[in-house]
Amino acid sequence: MTSTKISVQSLNLYYKDFQALKNVNLEVEENQVTALIGPSGCGKSTFLRTLNRMNDLIEGVRVDGVILLDGRDIYRPDVDVVNLRKKVGMVFQRPNPFPMSVYDNVAYGPRIHGEKNKRKLDEIVEKSLRAAVLWDEVQDRLYKSALGLSGGQQQRVCIARLLAVEPEVLLMDEPTSALDPLATLRIEELIQVLRNDYTIVIVTHNMQQAARVSGVTAFFLNGDLIEYGNTDVIFTRPADQRTEDYITGRFG
Amino acid sequence: MDLAMRIKKKKSKATMTSISMSLQLRYDRFFKFVFFGSAAAVSLVIFTIILFVAFQGLQTFKEASALDFFINTTWSPPAHYGIFSFIFSSFATTLLALLIGAPLGLAGAIFMAKIAPQWVRDVLRPATDLFVGIPSVVYGWIGMTIFVGIIRDNIGGSGFGVLAAGTVLSVMILPTVISISEDSLRALPQSLEEASYALGANRWQTIRRVLLPAASPGLLAAVILAMARAIGETMAVQMVIGNSPQFPASLVLPTATLTSWIVVEMGNTPFGSTINNALFLMAFTLLGLSMATILLVRVVVRRRMV
Amino acid sequence: MNNRRFGDRLATGLFWLAGAVILGILLFYLIFIFWKGINVLTPHFLLSPPKEVAAGGGVGPELFNTFYILFLSLLFSLPVGLGAGIYLAEYARSNRLTYIVRLSTESLATVPSIVLGLFGMIIFVNAIGLGFTILGGAATLALLNLPVLVRVTEETLRAVPFSYREASLALGATQWQTIRRVILPACFPGLITGVTLVAGRALGESAILIFTAGLSVSRHAFDFNLFVPGETLAVHLWYVNAEALAPDKDAIAAGTSALLVLVVLIFNLAIGLPSRLLQRRLTGNK
Ligand SMILES: Nc1ncnc2c1ncn2[C@@H]1O[C@H](COP(=O)(O)OP(=O)(O)OP(=O)(O)O)[C@@H](O)[C@H]1O
Ligand SMILES: [Mg+2]
């Protein structure tokens, strides 16, 4: 049995005059990994960032349509964006740990949300780092700068930092594109573990990755959502010719 | 029972977070307001300055005519409040300072941006910062103890005058010229230089025909800002200019600039008297000049964008 | 062909010469200042009060006033300067209001310091009627610091990668939390350097203080009273040259010059070094 976590209905997004998303309708299932694929510039990142309103930070962005999180519209004016982002967290393309120690990075979220108890923080940090499969590698350098870690480790610090605020949805924008194959593998394994507890939406340019980690795949092209459905269906019997062209690499 | 309690617990936790959240949001709004207030305060300051100095200065015209004020070279209150000599000396010292300081500073900037090896740069950068760190009274003191004597012995006069002031100022504007020109040279894309080298040009040709023209708005801005710095400089000039309210018929004649004369007369005249107001009008003139340079820089730099 | 090579060599040589001349002037100035003044810098000179007509005066109160006024002026200008810089870097959208704030900051930065001094004189000495005071001097000096602080803060904050802000906001932090806990700590070394720069300039400022803080010093040593005149080292140097009657005024001028430059040097070293170390710790390379 699956239930809908996020429901996107006739979503349009404009950067000033340029329409980057055109009438997108999509249901994101709970405890499922949804992969967004499509050629560069088709609007994957833009779409992903509408889900926790990160686009609000960009001047001149206009959004219309409805996005329901657990049945409630996140674009209603009285919505607390800060609370929304706490529930819907994001991992970015380039690892972006803060210039602080590993510990302070992971403890950042709980601290800003009011946790002061040192023992509680220790617990959260350890739990999150374990959940991000990083604990063993960093436990004896918790108090050194996170910027001294390898790229793959930094990305997992970012994931641990996100898990520490106990979000319900994880948005990942090409989380492995800056990493080497081994580090990529670790992150993919991690996503497999996390899917049990979280709803995950991931943008990727890597078809194998989409096939490996996701249960549902959505294909975007020029701001349109061409089709979406079970990953094995999309990869073996896509309904649209353009999807097939893209997946098989026959795309112009 | 058990379930009900768990639900209740969960609910109370939820309200807790939303309370602390709204507190955070209130902080957020409060600080945004504080920061905006600070920004507004900065704007308010400059407007207040203009207003007050203008108000005080313009009262001069109750007793003196504006035309007389700006074009007469005779300063002999209460008969004449002519400040043309001061304006002229201000520009003369500035021009002299630019004639010496600008070429040297530009050459230094090019040297630091494009020619000097890293270690030389590491020495020169803090060195130019140190030029800024030396207080202007110390520059003035050096001028008094070295330059004035040299000028007196070799050129003539008392040694005080436009020549001494210009020489002192030429060193004082070096850091302005150097840092702004160097920045604008560094801001040029690497590809520009590479393209020129790829066509077989040597370093000097590349600098002269590609880099300097491309950076010219920035270099011009550097010179204009140096000019503003020189016109506004007070103490160093006051110490070597001679402080005599006469037209600088020669480079070694004691004279006075707008800034230096304000310092000399301010202490001797009662606040609110016409002669004192005239000093504020001179300050207002200085304000006008510095605003003009800001606008000039904006025009010059904007041209680069196009 | 040969001509071209010659031109390049000649130009290179001239540029090296320019660099050498600039460095030479600085060294000459510094050596001259210290050679003339270092002998004067005895404990007696540093601690005792100045004398108007007799020899043997010191600069003790001036030294104290210099730091006291500097401290006060930073106290006044830091909050506003930082706040305005933060506003420009983090909140300002590109609209007319932002344009006005930018333009006024730039304008304030080019106002000659003597004009600021006269403005302070109108406000504090005459309108409020305090006469020459340390408070008035420090508050006017704060106006000199303000635009530089705004610019340095804005530039330093803008240099922080946008990704830090994104990461923090995506974790549900408010903008203020992001600024306080991520942006400002990351900027700390840069801000310290900026403040050092501002302080160095304010230390040597005189045109502003002559007509606001005045030319005399309190008779009590280390007088924290805000409402008494407070002559600083830089102002004292000017005064000694311009009007003093003391027979040893040349030596006093030389000593004061050396002391001023020494103070600026020490200030830069004392604050610059720790901030560089901090920078290293933040970025994680040892
Ligand atoms: N801030 C912006 N202002 C204006 N246009 C933008 C902005 N950001 C993105 N766009 C445009 O919107 C379209 C979608 O961009 P988006 O970044 O969502 O693509 P993407 O699918 O994530 O591409 P990629 O795979 O390269 O990351 C592009 O045409 C892009 O040029
Ligand atoms: Mg993208």
Side-chain angles (χ1 to χ4, degrees):
Chain A
M1 190 204 98
T2 61
S3 64
T4 301
K5 185 73 183 170
I6 302 176
S7 168
V8 179
Q9 297 162 11
S10 24
L11 178 75
N12 291 293
L13 183 142
Y14 306 82
Y15 290 110
K16 302 228 167 69
D17 301 326
F18 174 72
Q19 182 166 13
L21 293 175
K22 299 166 191 161
N23 193 26
V24 174
N25 292 281
L26 183 104
E27 310 266 300
V28 177
E29 288 170 26
E30 188 156 21
N31 292 358
Q32 178 64 278
V33 179
T34 303
L36 310 179
I37 61 171
S40 198
C42 68
K44 303 176 300 289
S45 300
T46 304
F47 175 74
L48 195 71
R49 293 163 63 94
T50 58
L51 300 182
N52 67 346
R53 293 185 55 175
M54 285 303 277
N55 286 320
D56 290 16
L57 304 180
I58 300 169
E59 246 177 290
V61 168
R62 223 157 20 91
V63 181
D64 64 55
V66 175
I67 298 180
L68 304 176
L69 173 68
D70 294 327
R72 270 181 296 180
D73 187 359
I74 62 169
Y75 274 89
R76 269 187 24 196
D78 61 333
V79 166
D80 177 354
V81 183
V82 165
N83 232 334
L84 167 71
R85 291 189 187 137
K86 212 181 134 192
K87 272 195 214 145
V88 185
M90 188 154 196
V91 178
F92 298 83
Q93 182 167 358
R94 304 207 143 269
N96 55 359
F98 300 130
M100 314 167 179
S101 70
V102 175
Y103 183 97
D104 288 336
N105 261 282
V106 181
Y108 179 81
R111 277 183 179 143
I112 59 172
H113 296 306
E115 186 58 68
K116 292 209 181 72
N117 187 321
K118 170 80 173 119
R119 199 137 28 91
K120 201 78 175 286
L121 283 173
D122 288 348
E123 243 171 61
I124 296 174
V125 169
E126 177 168 350
K127 204 176 96 197
S128 309
L129 283 170
R130 281 192 192 282
V133 212
L134 189 59
W135 178 254
D136 294 337
E137 290 163 62
V138 299
Q139 59 170 320
D140 41 73
R141 47 161 305 161
L142 278 181
Y143 299 100
K144 296 207 177 125
S145 172
L147 299 184
L149 297 172
S150 75
Q153 289 172 325
Q154 288 189 13
Q155 193 63 301
R156 275 177 288 155
V157 168
C158 294
I159 293 176
R161 183 175 68 183
L162 182 55
L163 298 181
V165 300
E166 301 182 345
E168 296 163 15
V169 181
L170 310 182
L171 308 177
M172 301 183 170
D173 193 350
E174 304 185 39
T176 61
S177 66
L179 307 182
D180 66 55
L182 205 65
T184 300
L185 197 65
R186 304 295 302 269
I187 303 274
E188 285 182 12
E189 286 167 2
L190 175 58
I191 293 172
Q192 289 306 328
V193 178
L194 294 175
R195 67 179 294 177
N196 300 320
D197 300 311
Y198 301 90
T199 304
I200 298 175
V201 184
I202 177 173
V203 172
T204 176
H205 272 176
N206 178 335
M207 292 307 113
Q208 283 83 25
Q209 184 170 69
R212 277 192 303 260
V213 302
S214 72
V216 173
T217 296
F219 173 62
F220 282 80
L221 186 63
N222 291 333
D224 287 307
L225 172 58
I226 302 299
E227 66 175 306
Y228 79 100
N230 273 343
T231 298
D232 26 338
V233 176
I234 295 278
F235 275 82
T236 50
R237 306 181 298 281
D240 197 293
Q241 182 61 39
R242 289 169 291 179
T243 315
E244 185 170 344
D245 288 349
Y246 179 70
I247 288 169
T248 53
R250 255 178 292 152
F251 211 80
Chain B
M1 180 64 198
D2 194 88
L3 195 71
M5 262 183 62
R6 269 173 57 190
I7 290 173
K8 210 172 151 197
K9 220 171 159 187
K10 204 167 176 185
K11 218 169 144 190
S12 78
K13 197 183 156 203
T15 41
M16 276 266 303
T17 48
S18 84
I19 285 173
S20 86
M21 224 50 243
S22 79
L23 186 70
Q24 280 307 333
L25 283 180
R26 229 175 299 160
Y27 274 131
D28 193 42
R29 231 164 282 153
F30 171 71
F31 278 101
K32 181 173 180 176
F33 179 74
V34 167
F35 296 143
F36 174 74
S38 315
V42 175
S43 303
L44 206 63
V45 164
I46 183 74
F47 286 112
T48 319
I49 291 176
I50 295 173
L51 218 66
F52 273 79
V53 175
F55 175 77
Q56 198 64 41
L58 292 176
Q59 294 186 34
T60 315
F61 295 139
K62 283 185 196 159
E63 301 212 358
S65 91
L67 197 65
D68 191 54
F69 184 78
F70 285 112
I71 66 165
N72 199 327
T73 57
T74 314
W75 175 269
S76 61
H80 294 287
Y81 295 95
I83 64 161
F84 185 75
S85 308
F86 307 139
I87 297 181
F88 187 87
S89 294
S90 281
F91 278 99
T93 48
T94 300
L95 190 69
L96 190 60
L98 286 179
L99 281 178
I100 309 170
L104 183 59
L106 284 177
I110 295 169
F111 178 66
M112 283 167 72
K114 295 292 165 195
I115 294 175
Q118 188 60 42
W119 70 269
V120 176
R121 223 174 278 166
D122 288 344
V123 173
L124 271 174
R125 187 141 264 292
T128 47
D129 288 346
L130 253 181
F131 272 114
V132 186
I134 298 178
S136 48
V137 272
V138 174
Y139 280 109
W141 173 74
I142 291 178
M144 281 174 75
T145 37
I146 304 181
F147 297 146
V148 169
I150 294 177
I151 292 170
R152 182 177 49 225
D153 298 343
N154 296 298
I155 300 176
S158 63
F160 292 94
V162 170
L163 184 58
T167 316
V168 169
L169 281 176
S170 68
V171 178
M172 296 180 74
I173 61 170
L174 277 180
T176 310
V177 178
I178 293 175
S179 65
I180 299 175
S181 331
E182 198 201 344
D183 284 351
S184 61
L185 282 168
R186 276 188 196 287
L188 297 175
Q190 186 70 30
S191 56
L192 217 57
E193 211 169 326
E194 282 165 2
S196 172
Y197 286 132
L199 294 172
N202 62 31
R203 186 160 65 185
W204 169 234
Q205 289 171 318
T206 304
I207 290 173
R208 196 176 57 131
R209 295 179 186 270
V210 181
L211 300 181
L212 288 185
S216 62
L219 306 182
L220 194 54
V223 174
I224 295 172
L225 286 171
M227 191 178 98
R229 170 111 180 71
I231 285 195
E233 176 52 43
T234 309
M235 306 314 283
V237 172
Q238 194 271 344
M239 290 163 87
V240 296
I241 195 90
N243 301 316
S244 168
Q246 59 179 332
F247 190 81
S250 108
L251 287 179
V252 292
L253 204 63
T255 173
T257 64
L258 286 170
T259 54
S260 74
W261 196 245
I262 293 176
V263 173
V264 171
E265 286 272 41
M266 191 50 84
N268 306 330
T269 56
F271 186 73
S273 62
T274 303
I275 178 166
N276 190 272
N277 288 339
L279 300 178
F280 280 94
L281 193 54
M282 287 161 68
F284 187 59
T285 312
L286 281 167
L287 254 182
L289 286 174
S290 68
M291 296 295 142
T293 50
I294 282 297
L295 295 179
L296 201 59
V297 168
R298 290 216 152 208
V299 172
V300 165
V301 175
R302 185 146 346 120
R303 207 179 301 148
R304 174 170 46 179
M305 306 296 167
V306 183
Chain C
M1 195 64 208
N2 242 341
N3 233 340
R4 270 184 50 186
R5 280 248 314 266
F6 176 73
D8 192 44
R9 289 252 175 90
L10 182 71
T12 305
L14 285 176
F15 284 123
W16 273 91
L17 184 68
V21 167
I22 290 169
L23 197 62
I25 294 175
L26 180 74
L27 286 180
F28 172 72
Y29 274 31
L30 290 180
I31 291 171
F32 180 78
I33 291 165
F34 286 121
W35 167 67
K36 280 280 211 179
I38 206 80
N39 293 329
V40 185
L41 300 182
T42 57
H44 172 79
F45 180 75
L46 296 181
L47 294 174
S48 56
K51 286 192 177 135
E52 191 60 33
V53 282
V59 293
E62 280 84 2
L63 192 55
F64 170 76
N65 287 340
T66 300
F67 282 103
Y68 190 36
I69 289 183
L70 171 69
F71 169 77
L72 289 172
S73 81
L74 285 175
L75 196 68
F76 299 145
S77 54
L78 260 179
V80 182
L82 282 179
I86 291 174
Y87 179 80
L88 285 178
E90 302 290 324
Y91 294 89
R93 302 246 149 170
S94 41
N95 55 25
R96 188 177 222 108
L97 194 81
T98 309
Y99 177 80
I100 292 178
V101 173
R102 281 236 163 73
L103 187 62
S104 20
T105 313
E106 269 175 48
S107 309
L108 193 55
T110 45
V111 172
S113 51
I114 182 73
V115 178
L116 292 178
L118 294 198
F119 171 71
M121 179 178 160
I122 300 181
I123 300 289
F124 295 102
V125 179
N126 295 303
I128 304 182
L130 298 174
F132 294 141
T133 58
I134 286 184
L135 181 67
T140 315
L141 192 55
L143 301 182
L144 180 81
N145 305 343
L146 203 51
V148 188
L149 284 172
V150 175
R151 208 196 56 227
V152 169
T153 308
E154 187 187 353
E155 275 173 11
T156 316
L157 262 63
R158 278 191 190 280
V160 173
F162 187 67
S163 65
Y164 291 172
R165 295 179 179 89
E166 275 188 326
S168 172
L169 293 172
L171 292 168
T174 62
Q175 203 167 359
W176 161 240
Q177 286 176 318
T178 306
I179 292 170
R180 233 227 46 211
R181 293 173 180 260
V182 181
I183 313 282
L184 287 182
C187 287
F188 198 65
L191 290 177
I192 293 290
T193 313
V195 173
T196 320
L197 198 97
V198 169
R201 240 167 53 121
L203 269 177
E205 179 55 41
S206 44
I208 285 182
L209 295 172
I210 290 180
F211 301 118
T212 53
L215 294 166
S216 53
V217 295
S218 168
R219 263 167 298 141
H220 312 287
F222 307 124
D223 195 340
F224 284 96
N225 190 343
L226 292 173
F227 297 99
V228 295
E231 188 194 44
T232 63
L233 279 178
V235 174
H236 186 61
L237 173 56
W238 176 78
Y239 178 76
V240 167
N241 278 311
E243 340 215 335
L245 303 169
D248 59 347
K249 68 179 202 169
D250 288 346
I252 291 178
T256 311
S257 294
L259 184 57
L260 264 172
V261 174
L262 198 63
V263 164
V264 172
L265 279 177
I266 291 175
F267 213 78
N268 278 291
L269 286 181
I271 300 189
L273 224 56
S275 91
R276 220 165 297 153
L277 291 181
L278 187 70
Q279 172 89 54
R280 263 186 224 159
R281 228 190 54 211
L282 280 177
T283 50
N285 32 17
K286 268 130 250 140

